[in-house]
Amino acid sequence: MPYDHRNTTRRTRTRTRTRSLALALVATGCCAVLAGCGASQASQPDGKSTESENPRAASPAPAPTPTPTPPSLAGRTVVLDPGHNPGNFRHSTEINQKVNIGTNRKECDTTGTSTNAGYTEASFTLDVTHRLRDLLTARGAEVVLTHDADRPWGPCIDERAKIGNAARADAVVSVHADGSAVGNRGFHVILPAPVREGSADTAKIVGPSRELGERIADRFARATGTAPANYLGSGSGLDVRDDLGGLNLSTVPKVFVECGNMRDPKDAQLLTSAAWRQKAAQGIADGIATYLEG
């Protein structure tokens, strides 16, 4: 084919336009790359990067762990005395032996009373004591039991007092239920009378024991919804006695709680209810706690 210089000129122009377009695309790509780099890492006027050299330094400091509040009765010792013993009735000789209670001599222990249906006071007191122990332990108290039906009979009333004294208890509560006449209803708390005779001297514990008893009577009524005894204490729910060795021989604050009258059918219905016994334990625990917390 003959040579045509016009074709050469056109090819030259085409190559020129192609190179120009390629250079433009390369320049545009570089700008994009440079722009991207600039967006991810800005520079300060002095040329230093604003990114932290230590990523952890920008993390917020962990919140301090709050110090747990100690249980309200931590460091306090409570002795619980379940009245009587389920095995006492099989050991009449042993429990009838007389022991010194300061003012006179009295039987080591008794079998306790029961409902007409045969639910014994010893079974009742042990059940309430277990519930009470769990409630007090949950509040941080150290709880000591005078017995846990882990011995065939007893302990005697003078030994029960010694257990509380030896533990240097902040409070001692003896759990009972009364055996009065039908129609006599309600709970009461027995307080120590001023006694100073023989080995008995209650002078130091009369005041604090009354305070403990008043707190328990108040909280027991609230928790159980039952009224103070209608047959003693003039409706106060408090009764002062000087004939109980467990109180006479105590050197630490101590009270007896008579939770109700097992011989009255209406009270007996409460005392045989597990739900009511839990309320009774709660009321006693609340009373002890308010006393110890001041």
Side-chain angles (χ1 to χ4, degrees):
M1 179 179 294
Y3 176 75
D4 187 347
H5 70 275
R6 291 176 298 183
N7 291 338
T8 302
T9 301
R10 283 195 297 269
R11 285 196 296 270
T12 300
R13 290 174 179 172
T14 299
R15 286 195 295 268
T16 299
R17 285 197 298 271
T18 300
R19 284 197 297 271
S20 298
L21 179 59
L23 289 173
L25 290 172
V26 170
T28 301
C30 288
C31 289
V33 170
L34 290 174
C37 292
S40 64
Q41 185 173 359
S43 296
Q44 298 287 2
D46 59 2
K48 294 182 179 180
S49 171
T50 57
E51 279 190 333
S52 171
E53 294 181 2
N54 182 6
R56 294 183 179 179
S59 302
T65 302
T67 302
T69 302
S72 62
L73 300 184
R76 313 308 290 269
T77 300
V78 179
V79 172
L80 302 178
D81 178 30
H84 315 289
N85 183 319
N88 276 359
F89 74 93
R90 290 190 293 267
H91 295 271
S92 57
T93 300
E94 291 87 348
I95 67 172
N96 284 328
Q97 293 178 1
K98 300 290 182 70
V99 298
N100 191 333
I101 66 167
T103 54
N104 54 57
R105 297 182 67 81
K106 202 170 183 178
E107 289 78 10
C108 158
D109 203 0
T110 68
T111 59
T113 187
S114 67
T115 65
N116 293 333
Y119 180 54
T120 66
E121 182 183 1
S123 297
F124 169 82
T125 63
L126 200 60
D127 180 88
V128 172
T129 296
H130 286 164
R131 297 170 187 271
L132 180 53
R133 175 195 59 195
D134 293 345
L135 292 169
L136 293 173
T137 300
R139 299 188 190 203
E142 178 183 353
V143 178
V144 177
L145 271 60
T146 59
H147 78 92
D148 197 6
D150 49 355
R151 51 191 294 172
W153 56 274
C156 294
I157 52 180
D158 58 339
E159 185 183 350
R160 291 172 187 260
K162 289 176 183 177
I163 293 171
N165 297 343
R168 297 182 179 180
D170 296 292
V172 183
V173 175
S174 189
V175 180
H176 286 263
D178 208 0
S180 189
V182 175
N184 290 345
R185 297 196 60 197
F187 72 90
H188 66 279
V189 181
I190 303 175
L191 314 176
V195 172
R196 188 173 185 180
E197 187 174 345
S199 56
D201 186 355
T202 63
K204 294 182 180 180
I205 71 165
V206 167
S209 295
R210 172 170 283 275
E211 183 180 353
L212 171 62
E214 290 174 345
R215 297 296 182 92
I216 291 176
D218 174 66
R219 295 310 176 103
F220 191 93
R222 295 189 195 187
T224 63
T226 54
N230 60 8
Y231 57 100
L232 48 74
S234 302
S236 67
L238 303 174
D239 185 32
V240 178
R241 291 176 59 173
D242 64 2
D243 63 330
L244 298 176
L247 297 180
N248 288 357
L249 301 176
S250 182
T251 60
V252 293
K254 183 174 182 177
V255 299
F256 281 46
V257 181
E258 298 281 359
C259 297
N261 178 16
M262 300 196 94
R263 307 304 296 174
D264 177 81
K266 292 181 179 179
D267 268 12
Q269 187 174 9
L270 298 176
L271 298 169
T272 54
S273 163
W276 189 90
R277 292 196 298 271
Q278 184 65 32
K279 293 178 182 179
Q282 186 68 61
I284 298 172
D286 290 345
I288 294 172
T290 56
Y291 166 74
L292 294 179
E293 292 166 358

